[in-house]
Amino acid sequence: MIVSLLLAATAPATAVEAERAFAAMAQSQGQWTAFRTFAAEDGVMFLPQPVEAQTFLKDRKDPPVALKWGPTRSWISCDGKTAYNTGPWSTPDGKAFGYFSTLWQKQADGGWKWRVDHGDALEAPLPETGTVDVRHASCKGAPRPN
């Protein structure tokens, strides 16, 4: 029980913090280790076709050096339970770069798991702003008709 409380106390409070923890774990413990740890059981990765993340990641060995990435924009649902982050990624040598998109869902324990992960290469790198533009949806008002 004490371990559960300690883990809950250190769990990222926001999807932006979860993204940063995910990226930091990739650097310290390995890229695919981080992907496995932060993926929901039913998470999906696009490679470019959709694959079940846990199946794809199960026995995958970590590369010697992980990609680097960080969020620059985040959109959060009005109830705060779902978030979408995006930003640049690059190889450590800076020779390859692109963007990523991660759909996060808040878990019952207060932590976050990603449900969808996607990214692609670009011809020019995206700027790394050092800040995150966070947008919160409003739960006020009537739903829009389909």
Side-chain angles (χ1 to χ4, degrees):
M1 174 148 174
I2 293 173
V3 172
S4 297
L5 291 173
L6 288 173
L7 289 174
T10 61
T14 69
V16 168
E17 290 174 6
E19 191 78 57
R20 288 178 172 154
F22 176 29
M25 179 184 273
Q27 296 303 309
S28 66
Q29 296 181 37
Q31 182 172 304
W32 300 130
T33 297
F35 271 77
R36 277 189 296 275
T37 301
F38 281 87
E41 284 301 316
D42 61 349
V44 174
M45 299 172 75
F46 287 83
L47 303 172
Q49 298 300 316
V51 299
E52 293 177 352
Q54 293 295 357
T55 300
F56 173 78
L57 296 166
K58 185 178 180 186
D59 297 319
R60 192 156 298 274
K61 303 263 188 251
D62 290 315
V65 183
L67 294 176
K68 294 181 179 183
W69 71 89
T72 55
R73 299 188 83 183
S74 183
W75 291 267
I76 303 165
S77 65
C78 70
D79 64 3
K81 295 180 181 178
T82 305
Y84 172 86
N85 295 338
T86 189
W89 64 260
S90 66
T91 55
D93 62 9
K95 292 181 179 178
F97 34 78
Y99 72 92
F100 72 89
S101 301
T102 315
L103 181 66
W104 292 88
Q105 186 171 44
K106 193 167 200 166
Q107 305 297 295
D109 66 1
W112 291 85
K113 294 284 187 177
W114 62 261
R115 301 286 307 275
V116 178
D117 184 81
H118 177 267
D120 206 352
L122 296 171
E123 291 184 20
L126 293 172
E128 294 183 34
T129 63
T131 62
V132 183
D133 178 16
V134 178
R135 307 278 174 108
H136 291 264
S138 171
C139 289
K140 295 180 180 180
R144 294 182 185 175
N146 289 335

